[in-house]
Amino acid sequence: MVRTRVIQTLFAYYKDPGRTPLTARKELLKSFADTYDLYFTLLDFANSLTAYAQQQLEEQAARARATHREWHPNRRFVENQLAQQLFDNRALRARIQEQNLSWDSGMPAVSAVYKQLQDCDFYRAYMAAPECSYDDDKMVWRKIYQNLLPENENLSEALDEMEVVLDKANWTTDMDVVLSYVVKTIKRFNQNSTPSTELLPMFDEESELRFATDLLDKAIREHSQFEELINTHLKGWEADRIADMDRVILEAALAEITEFDNIAISVSMNEYIELAKEYSGDKSYQFINGILNEILRDMKEDNSLLKASTLR
């Protein structure tokens, strides 16, 4: 995700002549913060869905009283131990309050997902089981985040709306990746977890943040040099016909390869080819792979690349 953020920031930077390297860096840092807010918002979805389920039980109880009908609710889901742990988690509650993150504008999705959940076999089995352990409580939420929410249209629409309301960016795009982080977080919890249980950090290591900002700075600083290098290796391609995103990916790849001696060329190549598959045209990854290989071969021959020995 770090390289993705750099690519997106560079693309926006070159599209807007009014942007400066400083504003680009600020936008990059905001994009990381926005993604981290999405992580907390999706964790807090457990609280919103549980609260909605509780509301449904209360409405059913009111209807039962109004009709003098005996009713025995199944409270297993609303009394789920993992959901309670997430609700009590101090770091989660603090981030939600500090950033004013709220599911208020996404409540239609909460309602829709709850209806979908009731039709899921894993949920029905959970609710119908004669006994329920902490592991069962944990399992049902893991399956909600793994099976029900990825690529869920209702959730995507809600996040799209919340992006506007909360002034966030890329929430819909990042949803499935961040959901995998939520599942990792759930695995951290156990029956003895307390409100001080640590959640995932924004970066695994502080070096990831330095890598992102250094990569962005290098790509912007050496833009003219990289642009010329790319143009001289086009071989039959007209420079003005190269897709803007392809250029951004190529320049970021060259920045990484020439700046970071600790990253193998093969790793960098693979990362940017995958980005091309995701963010550019159908055959762009082949074009990018070819151009990078041509440039790196020339750099190896003239000894301008210290990492040349790692090139295959």
Side-chain angles (χ1 to χ4, degrees):
M1 184 173 289
V2 171
R3 291 178 178 86
T4 300
R5 283 286 169 271
V6 173
I7 290 293
Q8 292 169 338
T9 303
L10 281 172
F11 187 81
Y13 172 76
Y14 291 127
K15 282 294 185 181
D16 183 358
R19 279 183 167 90
T20 67
L22 179 58
T23 58
R25 179 186 271 246
K26 288 180 178 178
E27 288 168 3
L28 176 64
L29 297 177
K30 182 180 183 301
S31 72
F32 288 130
D34 287 348
T35 300
Y36 202 43
D37 283 343
L38 175 59
Y39 164 69
F40 281 91
T41 301
L42 287 174
L43 271 175
D44 199 49
F45 183 80
N47 177 48
S48 294
L49 192 63
T50 301
Y52 182 81
Q54 174 65 32
Q55 178 185 330
Q56 296 306 298
L57 289 183
E58 291 172 357
E59 291 178 1
Q60 293 171 22
R63 288 194 293 271
R65 288 194 300 269
T67 58
H68 305 288
R69 177 171 53 87
E70 187 175 355
W71 182 63
H72 302 285
N74 185 341
R75 298 187 54 82
R76 178 168 292 173
F77 184 70
V78 299
E79 294 177 354
N80 183 285
Q81 297 173 79
L82 176 71
Q84 186 62 51
Q85 288 176 326
L86 289 174
F87 179 77
D88 292 337
N89 186 271
R90 295 189 189 115
L92 176 56
R93 296 272 62 81
R95 185 82 178 196
I96 293 296
Q97 293 172 12
E98 289 169 3
Q99 300 299 318
N100 294 316
L101 303 173
S102 170
W103 277 95
D104 289 350
S105 59
M107 283 310 296
V110 176
S111 172
V113 168
Y114 184 65
K115 291 177 182 177
Q116 292 174 326
L117 177 62
Q118 291 177 307
D119 290 330
C120 291
D121 291 339
F122 70 82
Y123 175 79
R124 290 178 173 175
Y126 167 74
M127 296 297 283
E131 295 181 354
C132 180
S133 66
Y134 174 84
D135 287 340
D136 295 325
D137 281 351
K138 186 174 175 179
M139 173 276 299
V140 76
W141 275 107
R142 192 177 71 247
K143 289 191 174 181
I144 288 171
Y145 281 108
Q146 283 182 315
N147 301 346
L148 183 58
L149 297 186
E151 300 182 6
N152 187 292
E153 291 184 6
N154 293 301
L155 186 61
S156 295
E157 290 175 3
L159 294 179
D160 191 43
E161 173 69 21
M162 293 164 71
E163 277 184 349
V164 177
V165 174
L166 300 173
D167 186 29
K168 303 298 177 182
N170 297 306
W171 271 19
T172 307
T173 303
D174 295 341
M175 180 182 75
D176 288 348
V177 174
V178 178
L179 283 171
S180 69
Y181 297 162
V182 173
V183 173
K184 289 180 183 178
T185 303
I186 290 174
K187 291 179 180 178
R188 287 186 166 204
F189 281 77
N190 58 55
Q191 195 160 13
N192 298 318
S193 294
T194 67
S196 60
T197 298
E198 292 186 359
L199 305 179
L200 296 183
M202 186 183 302
F203 297 99
D204 291 338
E205 297 179 4
E206 194 64 27
S207 59
E208 284 189 337
L209 177 58
R210 290 196 302 273
F211 167 71
T213 54
D214 289 350
L215 178 60
L216 179 71
D217 292 345
K218 171 78 171 183
I220 292 175
R221 187 173 64 251
E222 304 293 340
H223 167 63
S224 297
Q225 177 184 330
F226 292 148
E227 187 175 46
E228 181 179 353
L229 194 58
I230 292 165
N231 289 343
T232 58
H233 288 81
L234 290 179
K235 293 184 178 180
W237 287 78
E238 295 180 18
D240 59 358
R241 292 182 58 195
I242 306 304
D244 291 339
M245 180 56 80
D246 288 357
R247 276 196 177 276
V248 167
I249 292 173
L250 281 167
E251 291 184 22
L254 289 170
E256 179 171 325
I257 289 168
T258 57
E259 180 75 5
F260 299 93
D261 294 340
N262 60 322
I263 303 177
I265 289 177
S266 58
V267 172
S268 299
M269 290 280 286
N270 289 337
E271 290 288 347
Y272 288 98
I273 288 170
E274 289 303 312
L275 283 170
K277 290 178 181 179
E278 185 171 358
Y279 290 100
S280 202
D282 291 341
K283 296 184 179 180
S284 289
Y285 74 94
Q286 295 173 332
F287 165 73
I288 288 171
N289 182 57
I291 294 294
L292 285 176
N293 273 304
E294 289 293 328
I295 292 174
L296 293 176
R297 285 193 187 96
D298 286 352
M299 295 177 78
K300 179 180 179 181
E301 289 177 2
D302 63 19
N303 294 318
S304 60
L305 181 63
L306 295 177
K307 294 194 298 183
S309 61
T310 65
L311 181 62
R312 297 291 184 266

